Amino acid sequence: MATTTTTSVANAAEGVATLTLRPSPASASNNTNEEYAYAHLLPHFSADRYPPLTPFEHVDPASRALSHPNPRSFLDNATSVAEITPSLGTEVQGVNLATLDSDARDQLALEVARRGVMVFRDQQDFIDRGPDFYLQWGRHFGRLHIHPTSGHPRNYPEIHLVYRDLKSSFNFEVDDSITSTVWHSDVSYELQPPGLTTFFLLAQPQTGGDTLFTSQVQTLKKLSPQFVAFLRTLKAVHSGVEQAEFSRAGRRGGTVRREPVEHIHPVVRRHPVTGEEALYVNRQFTRRIVGLKREESENILRFLYDHIDKSADNQARVKWRPNTIVLWDNRITAHSAIVDFKESGEARHGARITPQAERPIPALDGLEL
Ligand SMILES: O=C(O)CCC(=O)C(=O)O
Ligand SMILES: [Fe+2]
């Protein structure tokens, strides 16, 4: 039996919450007789403080693949390439992400921009290369985001972790909700929110703990042209304040290493490479529509969130298997963890590599932010 260590964990949803628990590495392996192979990647909460993020110029990796004669050639050796749904998600077998060169990584970024989500199976090579490799991988796609509140592996603040098991007294914000579903686009409160995002699980329950995705391109396309034309004129406030407050409240045991920020983004953004328009509001971080009366803002946002929630025809559900890596374009999709395994007592432990991208581009030319 491995010894119990003291650490803190992050909620599986986008850093919604942090809490203190004492996970044993053995329990994280979901096999009490084994040492947990990824114990060095368990969440650590440093007392470090970070200054505000500074703006930077983002060159999108997908743009470099646009002129490629065959921008899907990185899939040439795949044994299987299957669309999960017609407009969202592709599942690939037989491609080792860890061995993709710079050109192939650019192609990957373009394909993820087109498909929203890509699921790669059998990626043990990538996962076992460890955190220095994760950083090298992520930096190809943009400046790595350092999360203001979530747990990270010791000495690797750029790696955002999710973790939960039975030993923790889970006390996160959805506990008094009827559902664990919290649709969001990661850290949309940043001035330059993430683009191509890489996420994988290191430990998972036997069943459950899937991740839901939705296409914000399709969400928008379902609306009438007149309503979309109105949405294009709008901008909204996204806020990191509540996430920080949950962490600071102590009941989650977390820290706030960078003061929370709020930023205004267009309600409809344009992807810098594909040119596609996507709805860019999410229940977790979007707070209000600028310039509208309070009731107008609340009702429009509620309508849009309801539309996102119930549009299964825009969604894809990823079932995890060991050594799966999922990539999504955070600008044109939203996602939610599914917490349906708490009572099994099994651990779920995941790592996210989160390069930031451009400041959201309004779909309406000339919209001032
Ligand atoms: O745990 C999951 O399935 C999703 C986690 C998440 O939302 C994130 O890391 O951004
Ligand atoms: Fe997330």
Side-chain angles (χ1 to χ4, degrees):
M1 191 66 166
T3 49
T4 298
T5 53
T6 303
T7 186
S8 304
V9 298
N11 189 335
E14 152 50 37
V16 180
T18 53
L19 59 159
T20 302
L21 86 175
R22 297 171 188 276
S24 91
S27 79
S29 75
N30 286 327
N31 178 342
T32 45
N33 297 320
E34 269 178 31
E35 192 68 22
Y36 181 43
Y38 301 109
H40 60 294
L41 297 177
L42 284 168
H44 163 74
F45 285 83
S46 70
D48 294 348
R49 298 278 303 166
Y50 309 136
L53 290 178
T54 49
F56 70 101
E57 194 188 340
H58 172 73
V59 177
D60 204 84
S63 66
R64 298 189 289 257
L66 274 181
S67 57
H68 196 285
N70 179 8
R72 296 181 83 236
S73 56
F74 77 109
L75 294 172
D76 280 353
N77 295 326
T79 51
S80 162
V81 179
E83 294 191 348
I84 301 173
T85 75
S87 57
L88 177 70
T90 302
E91 176 165 337
V92 179
Q93 301 190 40
V95 171
N96 182 354
L97 288 177
T99 61
L100 296 189
D101 63 13
S102 171
D103 175 65
R105 290 181 193 192
D106 292 344
Q107 294 181 29
L108 170 71
L110 181 58
E111 192 64 13
V112 175
R114 289 181 168 152
R115 295 296 302 157
V117 180
M118 291 188 83
V119 179
F120 289 82
R121 304 292 186 183
D122 308 314
Q123 301 298 320
Q124 187 168 5
D125 182 12
F126 184 115
I127 292 171
D128 285 351
R129 286 187 190 211
D132 288 310
F133 176 75
Y134 306 160
L135 300 188
Q136 187 259 7
W137 166 264
R139 287 191 175 120
H140 179 83
F141 303 105
R143 183 178 81 180
L144 293 185
H145 182 253
I146 296 183
H147 201 282
T149 62
S150 64
H152 58 74
R154 194 177 287 273
N155 300 326
Y156 292 96
E158 301 88 349
I159 299 171
H160 160 96
L161 296 173
V162 300
Y163 185 89
R164 52 177 85 230
D165 71 12
L166 190 66
K167 292 198 172 94
S168 60
S169 52
F170 288 111
N171 180 25
F172 47 94
E173 84 184 17
V174 293
D175 261 1
D176 60 356
S177 302
I178 57 172
T179 178
S180 63
T181 310
V182 185
W183 286 106
H184 64 278
S185 170
D186 291 330
V187 296
S188 64
Y189 48 79
E190 300 290 12
L191 181 67
Q192 292 178 257
L196 184 110
T197 303
T198 306
F199 182 68
F200 48 91
L201 295 185
L202 301 154
Q204 65 175 93
Q206 289 289 322
T207 182
D210 303 348
T211 306
L212 276 175
F213 291 89
T214 196
S215 164
Q216 293 281 65
V217 175
Q218 292 301 321
T219 309
L220 189 71
K221 278 193 181 148
K222 294 277 162 54
L223 303 171
S224 64
Q226 293 93 325
F227 191 56
V228 172
F230 174 55
L231 293 179
R232 283 196 199 101
T233 68
L234 302 176
K235 45 204 178 187
V237 176
H238 296 240
S239 175
V241 169
E242 278 168 275
Q243 186 179 68
E245 277 169 3
F246 273 113
S247 222
R248 208 168 252 148
R251 68 183 212 263
R252 299 169 198 284
T255 57
V256 177
R257 295 183 298 265
R258 190 168 58 243
E259 286 307 307
V261 293
E262 296 194 332
H263 282 106
I264 292 174
H265 296 311
V267 165
V268 183
R269 72 184 289 183
R270 184 183 299 286
H271 192 285
V273 179
T274 65
E276 277 191 308
E277 295 183 13
L279 185 68
Y280 196 61
V281 293
N282 69 87
R283 209 188 273 280
Q284 193 176 355
F285 299 124
T286 312
R287 292 291 167 264
R288 62 184 181 279
I289 298 177
V290 177
L292 296 191
K293 301 279 188 186
R294 185 170 52 80
E295 296 92 331
E296 294 168 344
S297 168
E298 285 174 4
N299 278 289
I300 289 172
L301 287 176
R302 188 176 309 119
F303 163 71
L304 293 172
Y305 299 153
D306 284 351
H307 172 40
I308 292 168
D309 286 348
K310 69 186 176 203
S311 293
D313 47 352
N314 297 332
Q315 298 171 11
R317 179 168 178 146
V318 171
K319 288 202 83 69
W320 295 92
R321 293 203 301 262
N323 301 316
T324 298
I325 293 183
V326 175
L327 298 105
W328 65 82
D329 193 318
N330 192 59
R331 296 168 285 199
I332 52 163
T333 57
H335 59 275
S336 175
I338 299 177
V339 186
D340 54 0
F341 60 94
K342 276 193 282 186
E343 280 161 25
S344 76
E346 294 168 293
R348 187 173 182 278
H349 179 195
R352 191 181 82 196
I353 310 164
T354 320
Q356 290 180 254
E358 79 285 355
R359 185 175 183 185
I361 301 167
L364 182 67
D365 286 343
L367 182 73
E368 288 208 8
L369 295 172

